[in-house]
Amino acid sequence: SCPYGRRVSGVLNAANNDDIMFTIGESFPSGVPNPLAGSGASYPGRIQLAVKVRDIDQSPDDEIDLFLVDTTIPVGTNFSLLPTTHFGIFRNEHTIELNFRLSCMTNFFGPNCTTFCVERDDEQGHYTCGSDGSFVCLR
């Protein structure tokens, strides 16, 4: 069980050499978006991912391989400016290469995405949010 959700890609067909590539903005065949959007306001400091590879043909579902990733990656607030963390697993005849970027949900900041800040300029406050979520006074 995963607290952030489970996604299934659907059947993927490789046009050449069994290589399947996805780029940002391209959805998986089942409609799962890329990049994946998680839920939850905090980041525990690491990412865990399991990728099961199955062969679907006339015989029953055959699990070909299981790739497990358990690593830390940096987090930020602007997805397009974040560095990409590359992770590759090479086992037997199979290879999986993944690129990760992780950003906090809107209005959350900090290394664990736990600092909440919403800019305001009204009777309840006059501030913007710094890159770390701190209040920056307007007046």
Side-chain angles (χ1 to χ4, degrees):
S1 140
C2 176
Y4 299 105
R6 179 177 186 263
R7 309 292 195 288
V8 177
S9 69
V11 176
L12 307 176
N13 294 313
N16 59 349
N17 298 330
D18 295 332
D19 291 339
I20 301 170
M21 306 262 312
F22 295 96
T23 57
I24 297 264
E26 180 180 309
S27 294
F28 294 99
S30 63
V32 173
N34 181 19
L36 296 173
S39 60
S42 67
Y43 169 59
R46 63 186 317 104
I47 186 168
Q48 296 176 317
L49 176 71
V51 178
K52 290 182 182 179
V53 180
R54 296 181 183 271
D55 177 26
I56 300 175
D57 52 21
Q58 306 327 62
S59 64
D61 272 356
D62 302 318
E63 186 169 301
I64 295 174
D65 220 328
L66 173 65
F67 296 97
L68 301 172
V69 176
D70 184 356
T71 188
T72 59
I73 59 173
V75 66
T77 55
N78 188 332
F79 185 80
S80 62
L81 298 178
L82 290 171
T84 299
T85 300
H86 179 80
F87 198 89
I89 303 173
F90 309 96
R91 293 182 21 175
N92 303 324
E93 300 171 12
H94 309 114
T95 301
I96 187 167
E97 295 186 56
L98 305 164
N99 291 307
F100 295 99
R101 282 190 282 178
L102 183 66
S103 63
C104 299
M105 291 175 53
T106 304
N107 300 321
F108 286 89
F109 301 84
N112 296 97
C113 300
T114 54
T115 303
F116 182 74
C117 182
V118 177
E119 298 179 357
R120 62 182 326 138
D121 189 11
D122 58 22
E123 65 281 348
Q124 294 182 346
H126 306 280
Y127 57 86
T128 62
C129 302
S131 61
D132 62 353
S134 62
F135 298 139
V136 179
C137 294
L138 292 174
R139 302 174 193 205

